[in-house]
Amino acid sequence: MPDPDALPPLSLTVPEPEVRPGGQPDFSHVAIPRAGTVRRPPVDADPEEIRDLAFTIIRVMNREGEAVGPWAEALDFTPDDLLEGLRHMMTLRIYDARMLNAQRQQKTSFYMQHLGEEAISCGFQRALAPGDMNFPTYRQAGLLIAAGYPLSAMMNQVFSNAEDPMRGRQLPVCYSSREHGFFTISGNLATQYIQAVGWAMASAISGDRKISAAWIGDGSTAESDFHAALVFASTYKAPVVLNVVNNQWAISTFQGIARGGSGTFAARGLGFGIPSLRVDGNDYLAVLAVAKWATERARRNLGPTMIEYVTYRAGGHSTSDDPSAYRPAEESNAWPLGDPILRLKNHLIRLGVWSDDRHAQAEAEILAEITAAQKRAEAIGTLHHGQHPSPVDMFEDVYAEMPPHLLKQRHEAGF
Amino acid sequence: MPDPDALPPLSLTVPEPEVRPGGQPDFSHVAIPRAGTVRRPPVDADPEEIRDLAFTIIRVMNREGEAVGPWAEALDFTPDDLLEGLRHMMTLRIYDARMLNAQRQQKTSFYMQHLGEEAISCGFQRALAPGDMNFPTYRQAGLLIAAGYPLSAMMNQVFSNAEDPMRGRQLPVCYSSREHGFFTISGNLATQYIQAVGWAMASAISGDRKISAAWIGDGSTAESDFHAALVFASTYKAPVVLNVVNNQWAISTFQGIARGGSGTFAARGLGFGIPSLRVDGNDYLAVLAVAKWATERARRNLGPTMIEYVTYRAGGHSTSDDPSAYRPAEESNAWPLGDPILRLKNHLIRLGVWSDDRHAQAEAEILAEITAAQKRAEAIGTLHHGQHPSPVDMFEDVYAEMPPHLLKQRHEAGF
Amino acid sequence: MARMTMIEAIRDALDVAMGADPRVVVFGEDVGYFGGVFRCTAGLQAKYGKTRCFDTPINESGIVGAGIGMAAYGLKPVVEIQFADYVYPAYDQIVSEAARLRYRSAGQFTCPMVVRMPTGGGIFGGQTHSQSPEALFTHVTGLKTVVPSNPRDAKGLLLSAIADPDPVIFLEPKRLYNGPFDGHHDRPVTAWKTHELGEVPEGHYTVPLGKAVVRRQGQAATILTYGTMVHVALAAAAESGVDAEVIDLRTLLPLDMETVAASVSKTGRCLVLHEATLTSGYGAELAALVQAECFWHLEAPIRRVAGWDTPYPHTHEWSYFPGPARVAEALRQLVEVA
Amino acid sequence: MARMTMIEAIRDALDVAMGADPRVVVFGEDVGYFGGVFRCTAGLQAKYGKTRCFDTPINESGIVGAGIGMAAYGLKPVVEIQFADYVYPAYDQIVSEAARLRYRSAGQFTCPMVVRMPTGGGIFGGQTHSQSPEALFTHVTGLKTVVPSNPRDAKGLLLSAIADPDPVIFLEPKRLYNGPFDGHHDRPVTAWKTHELGEVPEGHYTVPLGKAVVRRQGQAATILTYGTMVHVALAAAAESGVDAEVIDLRTLLPLDMETVAASVSKTGRCLVLHEATLTSGYGAELAALVQAECFWHLEAPIRRVAGWDTPYPHTHEWSYFPGPARVAEALRQLVEVA
Ligand SMILES: Cc1ncc(C[n+]2csc(CCOP(=O)(O)OP(=O)(O)O)c2C)c(N)n1
Ligand SMILES: Cc1ncc(C[n+]2csc(CCOP(=O)(O)OP(=O)(O)O)c2C)c(N)n1
Ligand SMILES: [Mg+2]
Ligand SMILES: [Mg+2]
């Protein structure tokens, strides 16, 4: 029989971030390999043999704005494609700024921005084909923008006006567009990760060619449905890309609480024999490169891939949140991976297809475009003003056909 | 834009066991290292540096019945201790056989046996100290036997008679004994894995010295609470041993459905940075050795350990199950890790402290003991005969104090 | 017509549906090669291949969650939860996702999925093989909830459920799988082949969702019930001497309030009967609706007979189960109220 | 006496409990350093250390499951689910484990745990920040379910819940956190400091579980309600001109049936009011109980006013919410029944 009394008493470990408000931001513990130095294995590599990719950071653009290394070489995007990508990111950022402002003016109840994370959703979408389906969280509106979903539709939903495509039923940023490969966002975290796997399984069962992409945040990987998704994806080799956006924070909780003792979130995938890559989420080209690698695996029926995007949530969690209460305000500036828009801009300038002037001009154009669209949307209505979806809509779509008890309630409500 | 039509259509992978009824059992794909060949790292080793231990099988007893290698050397059990262990396993096996038979005679509604897996629970318990707590599944009654819980109490519960310590409320094999470090078994799979972590956290919060052991089957690792447990254990470095009993089957489903593409179940732990060992579950000494290693880690506040026990469920899942419908009847004999009782017996004979005769004699003694206890239990009552817990008991312990509505129902029921 | 057990009728429904529509896929724990612990899916994998009928990992949230994704894709998943007692890990997927998909996407994504599960007690299954969680589904708008009481209905209702464009919770009273059971556990077991409703039409037919049926005409009181309790109610009516009308609701949501109200308005007395625990059970909703709709017809308070508000105990099964004696006594008391 | 918001009252209760008993531990998503998204745990980590009040991974099943293990160990966990809408992943742990631990272990293991969560609508939170899932707990035997309607009760009830030897579901109407809310969303917000029940005694005191309170005496009808709806009911009584007795149930299970029956027997008319969806809501149980107990006193059918049977919609919040106009109208109809 062991004698526990011979040892000191136990104590509980509660992980803490390196710094709290008042402290000096310090990311020196984040090991960042130089761009271009991480190898690019073939897409059918044995997951055990590419374990290292789950513990490093795949990066393409170096400080000089050059695209370097094997991941850069495998890219087949033209400068025009990249200019379009830049425009997507700029659009998302400006849209976010406008909507944040609109929320302060009480034109909408609630908003969530992407500041600093634009490259991930804007970039990933480029690897998808029509018919593919994203199962996004609330921080991937770039998927919609890159897929050409009209900003005006997004705004109508944000403003909960009469043209809201969700007919007033959903939260502002919980968009849905089947046509644009964007599954209806759930307010419940992680539930859709396994749904994405089911969707991919359905495509495989049907002998189709569509693939899906699951999205989750660092904090939400702790949810149990994350496990369900990995189990099913691993067992049935579902054609799905399992994306984890590690933006360092889950509301006020730093990523160490969800990650615990594992080195990275990508490591989770390895426990299931799923090839797992870790990538610089602020490097648009790196995002394109890994997205291409992972979607090719899925399309070639090689099964799931996990991608951890290393990034930083530069803004508050939502308009209900003030991050200065739990992290130093300067932390965002100290983040070593830079700004995704600036980095792509520099690359394009380096390529000789872009300039500061043209950038400023594009910014002005986009702002004008968004402002015009916003005017039109606001003319229809905003949360407390103008025209809204009819309350009759409240009773529709609960079922395909309204059952008698609901019809009775609708009458009782006066409709 | 990628062009998926350039590729062949997708198809779904559904893993299948190597053989089905009618086929020839074949375990040649199970790589089994020789006893004594796997290294024994210090208990505070970096999990990343001992990854290999999650993909091998720690074995102590060789074919000649010798205990060899570093894990054997670290054991401090006397021959008498081992003789006691042998007796625990023999007791469990004979008890199982009697209860199976009793179920066929309708003396109990239901039974679940341990055939072939006796070493795991009987062995592990020896590494625990009073006050430690197991969170077992229905296939770890060896923990109770090794902890000295009276067989008569187990039988009274199996027979649902008036002395049933659970007062007729629980299923036959879902025992509970706080005193013996055995948490009340849930019929719901995996729920208790995270509870074990919570229990261990409570000990650490309280500055106590108690540790806990979580138990789960291969199939049940697919459940989401398995993930919850690993996340919490990893984050708070809870003093818990996370046991996975891989007996190859989950009712009719082979372990490949739960394991998917990962090489082993132990690999799951690695995804969380939890040191993970894989051990020969039919080798009593190997079980003792890894249990000692893992519990020492917990007691020294080094955090959780995952242990995968490689074994084989030689019997049916339960008395409701007939495995010949889904696996070759001979598969059990083909299982390459042998019988845990025979193996320990041979070791003890080799040590010179045991013999075939003494074994036969011990068997007879244990059988007599159990038969006598069974007679006494049956004299009190069995499922359909004799004395049972009073139906009044049905209304007790729903709450500490019976609320008015329940009191009213009890009256209505005539009590 | 073929005589079938309820297991065979369910299997037949799945077979008919899979044969007619390649989008129908069937999966769950042990449902593939083995054919399910109650054998409801036996033979389907052999017939339709292992991508149409397959085993899943033991993760109920995963089963339902994957099913939702498949349904949204355009398939028609019919998933099995091994026992209703194990549906809770999937509860979030059912409540937060399946039930609301159509609504929150304004019809862009829908969830035509059936979640089958054995329910109810009577097999000495103890706390974790006996529960009747229907009220946890009837409170969730967006779901339909069905409980058949015999093989013929089981097949017809299951075919309706599979055809339905919305998620349907399909609760199969396991004590009825092999024969009608009226609560007399001490009498010889009867088989479906001796029962008229064990006659199951071949091929495709449907029993519509949302339609109750009167199983016994009566004048003195109405018993509202479903599943196993239909047979208990019939026994209690016979044994109590009370001329009770027995209504088999079949679908709990949407409820066939017309049939219910017509009967109670006629008899003036109502007994609500279910196996699930009393408090906040589905019987509460029935009582609330009936008192509202039939207030002026009621000659006595509506009585509820249900499982006691305790976990489902193992040994005490027959003290717990609301059997014919308890129902008969309640019936007699109900008609005695002046 | 100090004037407090309901947030402050809850925090104060936790502070008092943690100060008095080292076994009380508090954890949940964002509750540690930050102090909770509604700030109910602000300052507790600083005061009691991070092993007594800490952040958890985002896994509700893990939060409750770990809590169960701790409670069985001997601690008294008070866990927070960030919104009641997110409790479903923990539903299995609550239903299958916490609620049955004492029963199935014959008292060897118990679960003195409190599961706190903000509930209800009125904050434009849409489908996933507005739900009222109380009926999903009242159906589960082994649990107690509490819903305070003001700061004074909130503190006293929470202290009772923490002291209770069994698991308690503690639902905090988030629309009441900062002030009483009577459903007049278009009027200026009122604060608790202007309300008598915003006066919260210092230190330790309890409001017993299982005891309702009459908030308004009346003769013409009884309104049974709880949480935010207590204030709506009071407004409706005032505005309708109907002399309604308003009962604040405070604890839904165990229910104070004595207070309920006394009132309905007196008034002969009963309106049941809650925010949760109607069908199979807790109001069904109330209606079922009242019609059974007070049948001979009832002069009109019991009416239920509740959330419509749709998901909680975002933009349509005020068409959905059962506000004072709807309640007043129902009250008038109720007393008009001859
Ligand atoms: C099931 C569930 N639990 C809790 C929440 C509340 N919640 C919303 S966002 C969030 C943090 C998520 O963090 P992360 O996954 O890192 O995503 P990020 O916001 O950083 O993009 C929490 C706890 C929720 N929406 N659903
Ligand atoms: C939540 C839940 N789902 C399903 C079941 C039904 N069930 C009981 S045992 C079992 C198989 C478990 O297999 P495994 O974990 O490998 O343990 P073993 O029986 O092999 O020891 C299943 C599916 C259950 N008890 N609980
Ligand atoms: Mg995050
Ligand atoms: Mg197994």
Side-chain angles (χ1 to χ4, degrees), chain B residues 115-134:
Chain B
L115 194 65
E117 304 178 34
E118 292 90 347
I120 299 163
S121 52
C122 291
F124 186 87
Q125 178 64 33
R126 309 293 290 274
L128 296 183
D132 294 341
M133 187 63 68
N134 285 293

Side-chain angles (χ1 to χ4, degrees), chain B residues 117 138-139 217-220 245-251 253 313:
Chain B
E117 304 178 34
Y138 44 74
R139 230 184 283 286
D218 50 304
S220 306
V245 180
N246 175 4
N247 63 4
Q248 314 299 320
W249 289 92
I251 309 185
T253 306
R313 194 197 76 206

Side-chain angles (χ1 to χ4, degrees), chain A residues 80-371:
Chain A
D80 276 354
D81 289 335
L82 298 183
L83 285 170
E84 203 182 333
L86 181 68
R87 199 172 182 96
H88 294 153
M89 291 200 283
M90 292 169 73
T91 303
L92 180 52
R93 185 165 295 178
I94 293 170
Y95 172 72
D96 272 349
R98 299 291 308 179
M99 293 303 105
L100 266 186
N101 208 42
Q103 194 275 340
R104 282 192 209 101
Q105 298 166 340
Q106 298 185 27
K107 291 175 181 166
T108 177
S109 55
F110 178 78
Y111 192 73
M112 297 179 95
Q113 62 172 330
H114 305 73
L115 194 65
E117 304 177 35
E118 293 90 347
I120 298 162
S121 53
C122 291
F124 186 87
Q125 178 65 32
R126 309 294 289 273
L128 296 182
D132 294 341
M133 187 61 68
N134 285 293
F135 288 72
T137 83
Y138 44 74
R139 229 184 284 286
Q140 276 95 43
L143 297 169
L144 278 174
I145 288 175
Y149 187 65
L151 282 176
S152 58
M154 289 166 68
M155 287 189 210
N156 289 333
Q157 180 166 347
V158 169
F159 293 148
S160 297
N161 70 26
E163 300 290 319
D164 171 4
M166 297 304 112
R167 302 167 82 175
R169 299 184 195 133
Q170 251 299 21
L171 282 175
V173 299
C174 291
Y175 311 111
S176 174
S177 178
R178 184 165 197 130
E179 203 188 323
H180 297 85
F182 194 92
F183 194 74
T184 161
I185 297 179
S186 177
N188 299 62
L189 299 172
T191 44
Q192 307 200 294
Y193 223 59
I194 172 68
Q195 293 167 16
V197 175
W199 202 96
M201 288 173 69
S203 175
I205 289 170
S206 309
D208 289 344
R209 288 177 176 82
K210 300 169 192 168
I211 66 168
S212 68
W215 293 90
I216 206 165
D218 49 304
S220 306
T221 60
E223 285 284 11
S224 289
D225 277 342
F226 179 74
H227 181 69
L230 269 61
V231 171
F232 276 65
S234 169
T235 292
Y236 303 110
K237 285 187 181 295
V240 59
V241 182
L242 301 163
N243 295 300
V244 177
V245 181
N246 175 5
N247 64 5
Q248 313 300 320
W249 289 93
I251 310 185
S252 76
T253 305
F254 90 117
Q255 44 92 19
I257 291 284
R259 194 188 28 119
S262 70
T264 66
F265 288 98
R268 295 276 201 267
L270 296 179
F272 293 79
I274 298 174
S276 303
L277 314 175
R278 207 151 170 267
V279 61
D280 179 345
N282 291 17
D283 179 336
Y284 185 85
L285 294 182
V287 171
L288 288 182
V290 296
K292 194 185 154 199
W293 193 87
T295 52
E296 190 183 328
R297 273 182 51 77
R299 288 190 209 290
R300 288 179 51 187
N301 215 30
L302 294 166
T305 310
M306 175 160 284
I307 307 176
E308 174 183 347
Y309 303 89
V310 183
T311 184
Y312 185 86
R313 195 197 76 207
H317 170 73
S318 72
T319 47
S320 315
D321 179 46
D322 170 13
S324 71
Y326 50 80
R327 66 185 194 189
E330 321 76 47
E331 198 179 271
S332 159
N333 294 328
W335 177 244
L337 293 176
D339 179 274
I341 295 182
L342 281 185
R343 285 176 69 192
L344 183 58
K345 175 187 162 203
N346 290 342
H347 173 64
L348 290 166
I349 291 175
R350 178 100 198 180
L351 282 185
V353 299
W354 200 239
S355 68
D356 279 318
D357 282 356
R358 287 169 71 178
H359 194 81
Q361 193 187 329
E363 220 160 42
E365 272 169 34
I366 295 169
L367 179 61
E369 215 176 277
I370 290 181
T371 312

Side-chain angles (χ1 to χ4, degrees), chain C residues 287 291 301-303, chain D residues 286-295 298 302:
Chain C
Q291 70 81 30
I302 302 159
R303 285 188 73 102
Chain D
L286 289 173
L289 287 172
V290 167
Q291 70 81 28
E293 294 259 329
C294 310
F295 186 79
L298 283 176
I302 302 159

Side-chain angles (χ1 to χ4, degrees), chain B residues 281-305:
Chain B
N282 291 16
D283 179 336
Y284 186 84
L285 295 182
V287 171
L288 288 182
V290 296
K292 193 185 155 200
W293 193 87
T295 52
E296 190 182 328
R297 273 182 51 77
R299 288 189 209 292
R300 288 177 49 186
N301 216 30
L302 294 166
T305 309

Side-chain angles (χ1 to χ4, degrees), chain D residues 7-259:
Chain D
I7 291 169
E8 291 162 342
I10 287 164
R11 195 189 298 151
D12 193 31
L14 293 171
D15 191 1
V16 167
M18 292 177 87
D21 185 348
R23 294 172 307 166
V24 177
V25 290
V26 169
F27 53 95
E29 296 159 17
D30 301 295
V31 312
Y33 184 86
F34 181 57
V37 294
F38 286 105
R39 326 291 300 125
C40 290
T41 58
L44 297 177
Q45 183 176 83
K47 185 161 176 187
Y48 296 103
K50 65 181 187 162
T51 65
R52 299 271 315 274
C53 175
F54 52 90
D55 289 330
T56 62
I58 305 174
N59 184 313
E60 290 77 11
S61 183
I63 293 169
V64 173
I68 292 169
M70 291 183 202
Y73 186 90
L75 298 186
K76 293 190 135 283
V78 185
V79 307
E80 177 176 306
I81 301 293
Q82 202 161 75
F83 284 85
D85 316 61
Y86 305 142
V87 75
Y88 308 116
Y91 197 61
D92 188 38
Q93 285 287 350
I94 294 173
V95 172
S96 306
E97 301 291 328
R100 295 207 299 258
L101 220 49
R102 176 188 295 281
Y103 191 77
R104 74 164 195 250
S105 71
Q108 285 178 2
F109 296 95
T110 62
C111 189
M113 174 173 58
V114 180
V115 184
R116 295 177 41 241
M117 55 192 115
T119 185
I123 63 157
F124 269 110
Q127 297 175 31
T128 52
H129 305 88
S130 307
Q131 296 168 41
S132 299
E134 61 272 13
L136 304 175
F137 299 111
T138 56
H139 188 41
V140 179
T141 190
L143 303 178
K144 297 180 178 174
T145 301
V146 177
V147 192
S149 71
N150 60 75
R152 194 187 299 171
D153 279 359
K155 180 176 170 187
L157 288 165
L158 185 50
L159 282 166
S160 288
I162 295 172
D164 199 89
D166 289 306
V168 179
I169 306 296
F170 197 85
L171 297 159
E172 302 168 2
K174 67 179 83 68
R175 181 64 211 229
L176 299 181
Y177 270 153
N178 288 307
F181 175 68
D182 66 6
H184 284 294
H185 55 92
D186 37 9
R187 297 195 189 156
V189 173
T190 53
W192 279 117
K193 68 172 176 291
T194 67
H195 197 286
E196 179 200 3
L197 293 169
E199 284 187 358
V200 176
E202 262 174 58
H204 186 269
Y205 70 94
T206 58
V207 172
L209 305 188
K211 292 280 168 246
V213 66
V214 177
R215 292 278 172 223
R216 182 189 191 280
Q217 307 271 357
Q219 300 298 326
T222 299
I223 305 182
L224 301 179
T225 192
Y226 47 93
T228 307
M229 290 298 126
V230 170
H231 306 275
V232 175
L234 292 170
E239 292 159 27
S240 63
V242 175
D243 182 24
E245 184 142 305
V246 176
I247 297 186
D248 179 353
L249 297 174
R250 301 199 289 202
T251 305
L252 308 191
L253 199 121
L255 176 67
D256 182 355
M257 196 57 206
E258 228 171 291
T259 300

